[in-house]
């Protein structure tokens, strides 16, 4: 008896979820705590859900999806009902727009009104159809009117306005400090700060002081020297332009201190550097035609 009572309680709880949850609509946003039904399962929004963030999206981690599965079912969610939008009543703009008349000669660009709606005769080879039989080409009512006419609104009849051009000369000034301040304001967030740090560059004078084996070499250059020696460099790239020396390679990587830099968050800096170098060398050979099986040099 206790088991039966428990089963009934679970069924009632599941039924409550199903009845309370609305069918998921991909064009709708949901607040935290909202429940939806999707493929027979009930999901609850953990935080704000944007349109298109579906419960069906595959997420590697629970924090990658805004949805939490709270009840499983075996039903099939029907698609949301399609509601034909009601066309708003159009008020004709002020102006002299003649009433469409069968047998009238129309040309491309002509504007007429028919049943309280404006239409414009399409230009091109179909323009002559605007003067055709009303049963076929009367704007808005003919069986093939869309081939000859296009429905327009008042906005379509207003010529575009040239944007206002700011004054030049002494009346309009922008100084560098104002631009720098605005740039700092627009880029002051964590992701952009990480991007700027990843592409920061070393001063050219410091770059010119980089030579193989120098104690003064930057930290990332020393790490690269431990992974790729000069003999390894010559073996990997035996056919190269004279400018592509081992020292120039070290100088190029030293220009960007974040490349093969040191990570302070527990990640393996040497392993990441090896992968970065392998990726870079692969691009070298691919983009310069070096990846070919027809050379005498091993790939």
């Amino acid at each position: 008896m206790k088991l039966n009572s428990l089963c009934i309680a679970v069924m009632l709880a599941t039924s409550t979820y199903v009845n309370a949850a609305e069918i998921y609509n991909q064009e709708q946003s949901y607040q935290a705590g909202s429940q939806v039904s999707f493929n027979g399962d009930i999901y609850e929004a953990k935080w704000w859900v944007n349109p298109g963030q579906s419960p069906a999206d595959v997420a590697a981690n629970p924090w990658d999806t805004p949805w939490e599965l709270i009840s499983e079912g075996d039903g099939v969610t029907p698609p949301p009902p399609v509601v034909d939008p009601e066309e708003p009543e159009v008020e004709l703009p002020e102006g002299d727009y003649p009433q469409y008349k069968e047998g009238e000669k129309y040309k491309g660009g002509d504007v007429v009104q028919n049943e309280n709606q404006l239409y414009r005769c399409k230009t091109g080879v179909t323009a002559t159809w605007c003067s055709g039989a009303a049963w076929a080409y009367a704007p808005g009512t003919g069986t093939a009117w869309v081939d000859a006419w296009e429905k327009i609104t008042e906005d379509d009849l207003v010529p575009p306005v040239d944007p206002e051009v700011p004054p030049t000369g002494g009346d309009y000034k922008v100084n560098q400090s104002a631009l720098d301040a605005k740039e700092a304001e627009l880029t002051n967030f964590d992701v952009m700060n990480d991007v700027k740090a990843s592409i920061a560059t070393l001063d050219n004078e410091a770059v010119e002081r980089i030579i193989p084996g120098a104690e003064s070499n930057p930290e990332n250059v020393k790490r690269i020297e431990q992974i790729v020696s000069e003999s390894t460099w010559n073996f990997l790239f035996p056919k190269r332009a004279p400018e592509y020396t081992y020292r120039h390679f070290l100088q190029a990587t030293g220009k960007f201190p974040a490349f093969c830099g040191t990570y302070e968050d527990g990640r393996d800096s040497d392993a990441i550097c090896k992968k970065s170098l392998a990726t870079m060398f692969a691009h070298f050979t691919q983009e310069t035609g070096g990846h070919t099986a027809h050379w005498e040099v091993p790939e």
Side-chain angles (χ1 to χ4, degrees):
M1 179 64 67
K2 291 183 178 180
L3 180 60
N4 290 339
S5 300
L6 179 61
C7 292
I8 294 174
V10 172
M11 292 174 63
L12 289 175
T14 304
S15 175
T16 301
Y17 276 130
V18 172
N19 291 333
E22 61 179 294
I23 296 174
Y24 171 72
N25 184 351
Q26 65 176 357
E27 297 181 355
Q28 180 179 332
S29 58
Y30 296 92
Q31 296 181 347
S34 301
Q35 294 182 0
V36 298
S37 173
F38 185 82
N39 287 346
D41 298 333
I42 306 301
Y43 295 83
E44 184 172 282
K46 295 182 287 186
W47 51 79
W48 180 269
V49 182
N50 291 318
Q53 289 184 295
S54 170
D57 294 342
V58 178
N61 304 292
W63 54 84
D64 292 331
T65 174
W67 294 106
E68 180 180 4
L69 177 64
I70 61 174
S71 176
E72 294 187 6
D74 55 3
V76 177
T77 299
V82 178
V83 180
D84 292 332
E86 296 182 2
E87 290 195 12
E89 185 175 346
V90 179
E91 293 185 6
L92 291 178
E94 297 181 0
D96 186 15
Y97 303 106
Q99 175 66 36
Y100 165 78
K101 184 179 180 181
E102 183 178 12
E104 192 78 18
K105 296 298 182 183
Y106 297 107
K107 61 182 184 298
D110 285 350
V111 176
V112 299
Q113 58 174 302
N114 195 32
E115 297 191 353
N116 204 36
Q117 172 64 51
L118 291 181
Y119 298 89
R120 181 165 50 205
C121 181
K122 294 181 179 180
T123 58
V125 295
T126 63
T128 56
W129 296 353
C130 298
S131 307
W135 67 267
Y137 299 113
T141 59
T143 58
W145 74 267
V146 293
D147 296 329
W149 300 89
E150 60 179 343
K151 185 186 295 186
I152 61 174
T153 64
E154 183 178 4
D155 294 336
D156 298 317
L157 299 172
V158 178
V161 179
D162 292 334
E164 182 178 349
V165 179
T168 58
D171 297 331
Y172 188 79
K173 295 181 180 179
V174 177
N175 53 50
Q176 187 63 46
S177 60
L179 292 175
D180 293 341
K182 189 62 178 179
E183 179 184 2
E185 175 189 347
L186 295 175
T187 60
N188 187 25
F189 55 95
D190 291 343
V191 173
M192 182 56 71
N193 290 333
D194 291 342
V195 171
K196 289 190 289 187
S198 70
I199 60 176
T201 56
L202 188 66
D203 182 76
N204 284 340
E205 292 185 3
V207 172
E208 290 298 329
R209 290 195 294 269
I210 296 176
I211 58 175
E215 184 62 30
S216 61
N217 284 346
E219 185 176 19
N220 68 320
V221 173
K222 291 180 179 179
R223 175 173 287 109
I224 293 173
E225 288 182 281
Q226 293 174 357
I227 298 173
V228 180
S229 64
E230 186 166 6
S231 60
T232 302
W233 170 263
N234 293 330
F235 171 77
L236 290 175
F237 305 104
K239 288 191 174 184
R240 62 181 188 269
E243 296 84 4
Y244 294 141
T245 64
Y246 182 63
R247 181 191 179 191
H248 287 169
F249 161 63
L250 296 180
Q251 289 177 321
T253 54
K255 181 68 177 178
F256 300 92
F259 183 80
C260 285
T262 301
Y263 293 89
E264 305 291 348
D265 55 3
R267 285 182 287 176
D268 191 333
S269 302
D270 289 346
I272 294 175
C273 182
K274 291 176 181 178
K275 292 181 180 179
S276 300
L277 288 169
T279 302
M280 183 173 68
F281 292 163
H283 280 292
F284 285 176
T285 54
Q286 177 66 30
E287 299 302 327
T288 59
H291 185 66
T292 173
H294 304 293
W295 281 6
E296 68 278 9
V297 179
E299 292 188 73

